[in-house]
Amino acid sequence: NAVVAGVPSLHRRCRVALVLGQTVAAMPSRIWELIQDEVQDYAEGEDLLDYMSDGDGPDFDSLEPPVHLNEAFPQTIVITNLPKVPQDKYARLMGVLGKVIDKFNPVDKVMPKNPETELTEGCAIVTFNDAQSAESAAEQLDGFALDKKHTFKVVRMDHFDSIANRPDEFEPQRTLSYYSRADFRDWLADKRCREQILLRYQAETEVYWHDMMAGQPVLCYGGEREKAMKKVWCDWRVEWSPW
């Protein structure tokens, strides 16, 4: 029996169709015709609200949020500029890399192969237990010279796609929406038109104002804060600004 809940007349018509000897294969098209008849009946005056359930349906705020796929790989790095070797040298190269990488305690490392050339792709994908270990390994291994021809270039897996998809031609981005004609060195100027000089003698380093009106240099700073904490405030190179 073909039953459509809430539409008794459609149920009766389906039973008649079966009695008339229609085959099961013909049922889907026949049922569609019956539904079209019912829709036509509704258009001619039957109220669709009679067949609708009461209420407005479930509250959307009570539904669970959709699950999003996490595509981040913070625990994985990619080491490039490795030698491209065939299968018979794969284990040997992996052993050499292990002596350099294993001190960072990776949980997995693999060198992808090119199925056409049957050589490795010249890179290794290394995964660690946590993101901190991956970051430490990336910082320390980047620039490591395996030999005279191969120097590691290490990138995070999360940054690999953006680097690989960069255009061949560099396109500078304009980051400034406006500019100022103000003197950006005005913070170096003194309202009294004084200059500063540095004096070093024995173990002392002192910065003075060179004031022509005063007739002699005026001490600006001589490391008082550091001396109060019993620290050496300067014993080699000196860089300073007036403020």
Side-chain angles (χ1 to χ4, degrees):
N1 294 339
V3 179
V4 178
V7 188
S9 59
L10 182 59
H11 173 59
R12 290 194 298 272
R13 292 185 185 182
C14 291
R15 289 179 60 86
V16 172
L18 290 175
V19 173
L20 293 177
Q22 291 187 351
T23 62
V24 176
M27 281 299 296
S29 61
R30 181 54 184 162
I31 292 177
W32 173 250
E33 294 175 0
L34 295 176
I35 293 176
Q36 292 292 337
D37 293 342
E38 292 297 328
V39 173
Q40 184 65 27
D41 292 340
Y42 297 151
E44 293 176 356
E46 292 191 27
D47 192 355
L48 289 175
L49 295 177
D50 294 341
Y51 301 99
M52 296 181 63
S53 60
D54 296 334
D56 297 330
D59 185 5
F60 287 100
D61 294 336
S62 64
L63 299 178
E64 295 183 1
V67 178
H68 298 283
L69 177 63
N70 185 1
E71 298 181 352
F73 297 90
Q75 302 171 343
T76 303
I77 64 175
V78 180
I79 304 176
T80 61
N81 294 342
L82 299 180
K84 298 181 180 181
V85 299
Q87 180 61 36
D88 57 348
K89 295 184 179 180
Y90 182 95
R92 181 179 178 182
L93 178 57
M94 186 63 75
V96 174
L97 294 177
K99 295 179 180 180
V100 180
I101 302 173
D102 288 351
K103 62 182 180 180
F104 299 99
N105 299 321
V107 296
D108 183 54
K109 55 182 181 291
V110 62
M111 290 189 296
K113 294 176 55 179
N114 188 322
E116 296 180 358
T117 62
E118 296 185 354
L119 299 176
T120 57
E121 292 283 7
C123 66
I125 301 174
V126 187
T127 303
F128 300 85
N129 283 318
D130 51 70
Q132 184 177 0
S133 299
E135 182 177 359
S136 177
E139 293 178 355
Q140 298 187 44
L141 293 177
D142 188 36
F144 177 83
L146 185 64
D147 53 36
K148 294 182 179 180
K149 297 182 180 180
H150 302 92
T151 301
F152 287 177
K153 180 60 182 177
V154 185
V155 297
R156 305 291 294 272
M157 176 64 80
D158 291 340
H159 302 162
F160 185 81
D161 288 342
S162 61
I163 296 175
N165 295 328
R166 287 177 181 173
D168 295 334
E169 297 183 0
F170 174 71
E171 298 179 0
Q173 296 182 355
R174 185 180 179 88
T175 58
L176 295 178
S177 58
Y178 69 95
Y179 65 94
S180 173
R181 296 184 182 273
D183 185 4
F184 295 105
R185 296 175 296 179
D186 59 351
W187 63 277
L188 293 172
D190 179 58
K191 295 181 179 180
R192 297 168 60 182
C193 299
R194 298 174 300 176
E195 295 180 351
Q196 286 188 341
I197 59 175
L198 174 72
L199 294 181
R200 304 197 69 170
Y201 58 93
Q202 298 179 354
E204 299 295 331
T205 301
E206 298 175 343
V207 179
Y208 287 85
W209 286 109
H210 182 217
D211 191 348
M212 296 296 296
M213 299 301 295
Q216 62 181 1
V218 178
L219 180 64
C220 176
Y221 187 69
E224 289 77 12
R225 293 188 299 270
E226 287 77 12
K227 292 178 181 179
M229 296 184 290
K230 298 182 179 181
K231 295 183 177 181
V232 178
W233 98 275
C234 184
D235 60 355
W236 189 49
R237 183 175 178 178
V238 182
E239 292 183 357
W240 81 99
S241 68
W243 304 105

